[in-house]
Each structure stands twice: as structure tokens, then as C-alpha cells.
Amino acid sequence: MRINEVDRIPLVDLELLHAPLHAQLAAAAERVLRSGRYILGPEVSAFERELAEALGFAAAVGVSSGTDALLAALMVAGVGPGDEVVTTPYSFVATAEAIVRLGARPVFADVDPATTNMDPDAAIRRIGPRTRALLAVHLFGRAAPLDALRAACCQRGIALLEDAAQSIGVPGVGLGEAVTLSFFPSKNLGGMGDGGAVLTNDPQIADRIRSLRNHGVGADKLRHERLGGNFRLDELQAALLRVKLPALAGWTDARRAIARGYHQRLQHLPLGLPPPDDSAVWNQFVVRVPAERRDALRSDLARQGIDTAVYYPIPLHLQPVLADLDPAAAPGDFPYAERAARESLALPIFPGLSDAALDRIATALAALLA
Ligand SMILES: *Cc1c(COP(=O)(O)O)cnc(C)c1O
């Protein structure tokens, strides 16, 4: 059977999301085009104010991507050669990549098997004399528990940083010194290209990030006192993101309703559901299926026009580029992360995904898992 394009259920549908905003988005792009200001102008400043206000932070600093937000936040924490940064082995590669880019080593701690967020006790056990920072990840739109980590970091004078690329607007995010966001198009607030931000309640950290993103320039705009880079968010992305930001809260409600819809429809099926969480923002809805059946299930769903994805097929400690960096990083060392990598299956979730589509996905899964 061939699936018509109209019958396909994509993982995420950005055209659908943008359709009602099209005229506003086009006007914003036109405004920037005609302004002659393309870098660090009024759109970026306004977006930063509006973002900080919407998310309840003292400051937001726009940067070029979620990856560069991580890099800048780690730089502000003073992470450099010889340092260790404790983090999760179950995340997008950028989390660990940013650490390695600065000459430091990621030191991994296994995840909570239910949520696949980092297990605070495991993380605290990996803090050592070389630990410079702890980088928590709020995975799939769910806040990672930070209270114990914050206490441990405060006690030892270690920075607590948060990768919230998938978790914009989740209550409980922001106990650390800096929170990073990504505006990659498929994130809950996505641009029409790359972008990111660092959120902080510490004005000094905000100033430092503003300097780093612009080649480490000082407040006098003349002297370069520290090594930075070009991590700037551009005016066009900022203007487009300003159109989308007011819609974020409604989109988050829609994601929560879809997550509830999945829980209702899938609760009796032989698969593992992510624990319900009313405050999560559900960037992904990731179920667990028996490892030996997962790939066949994906193909069967694809044949019925239902797109799925695997986040993440290889845990970070087993990625070739990272594997040699943590001595405790052999296969089997982080069993919960490795098991999640074998069993995870991300189902479609996006504002506008209809009840009929949810019914179809649930019916297909029920038949295939019977
Ligand atoms: C998307 C993502 C990033 C990277 O963001 P980019 O904007 O693509 O650079 C980092 N960490 C996590 C957890 C992500 O999901």
C-alpha cells in the first residue's frame, strides 16, 4: 500500500504550525530586510527582553545555536583543559561535544531508568577533585531533579549548568547558574534556521555571555579581554522568533494534551510509557518497546505512514568520538542509558496533531504489538 502524503503522520509538522502565523512571519522578515541592521540590532535586544520576561529569568542572551549556548555557558564556568564535567550519557551529542571542545573531559553518570534524566545520586558519586561543572540535561521536555545536585555543587564550589534545549518553559528549570536553549526548528520554540540562548539570573554571567558571543569584546567595544567567538543570534531569526514566542504557551498546552491522549490510548499496550508529568513540555514523547522488536516496529509503522525516530540510538559514552575520554565508559558501564538506547521509540508529537491521528497511531501500535 502506498501512503498518500496527506495520510502521512510526520514526527513534527512545522508547515502546519507556521500557517496561521505566515503573514506575521513574512512581515517580520520584511522589516529586517528593509532595516539594514542584520547583526545585534533592535530585534535581538527585544527578543532577549521578551524571552527573559516570558520565562521568568533576569536575562536572556541570544546566541547562534543550542550547541554554542552550551559552549558559552561552559566557558563562563571556566571549564578548560584538564577539567572534568559531570553529565549524562543519554542526550544529544552536543551536550558532551561542547565539553570536549574546551579541552575538558565529560564524566558520565547513568540515568534514572524511568525518566532517562540523569540520576542525581549517580552524578554526585562522579564528582571528583577535577570536576569544574555539572551539566544537567532536561531531556525530552521533562525537568531533571536538581535539588540534590545544586546542594552538592554549592558545597563544592562547582558550577551547575542546565541544557534545556528540549525543555523551554518547564517549571523547575533554572536552579543552576545558566540554562541553555536551542531554537533548532523542531524544538518547542524553533526558528527558521539555527539559534539558541543562555538564560540566567546573574547579570554578570549575562554580560560575560554577551562578550563571549561577540569575540570576547569588552564593555568599551574596543578591548578583547577574553577569547570568545562568533556565537551571535542574527536579527532575522530574532524577528521570526518574536512572532512565535507569544504562541509558545498555547503550543505547550497542546503538547500536554497530546501526551495525555497518548497515555489514555496506550496504557494497556505492552510498551513502556514515559511517567506522566503535568509540568513537562513534551518536546518528545518517547515510549519503550522490546529492543529486539523496535526496528521492525519502526518499519511497520512507517509502512502505515507513521513516522517515528530513535533518540538516542547510541549513548554518548559509546560514541566513537567520545568513547576514550571517560575511563569508566565501556559497554555495560551505564546500563540504564544503554538499555534506553535499545528500547526508545519517539512517536509524533506537535501542536495540531489531531485526535484522529492519535487514534490511528494507537490502533497501529495495538495491532503490531498484539
Ligand atoms: C537540540 C539540542 C542541542 C543542540 O542545539 P542546536 O541548536 O541544534 O545546536 C543540545 N542539547 C540538546 C539536549 C538538544 O536537544
Side-chain angles (χ1 to χ4, degrees), residues 64-68 70 91-92 94-95 137-139 163 165-166 181-184 187 194-196 283 312:
S64 38
S65 69
T67 304
D68 288 339
L70 286 167
S91 179
F92 182 56
T95 307
V137 178
H138 302 287
L139 198 69
D163 180 345
Q166 301 177 7
L181 296 178
S182 163
F183 306 125
F184 185 80
K187 304 289 156 102
D194 280 310
N283 180 244
Y312 294 93

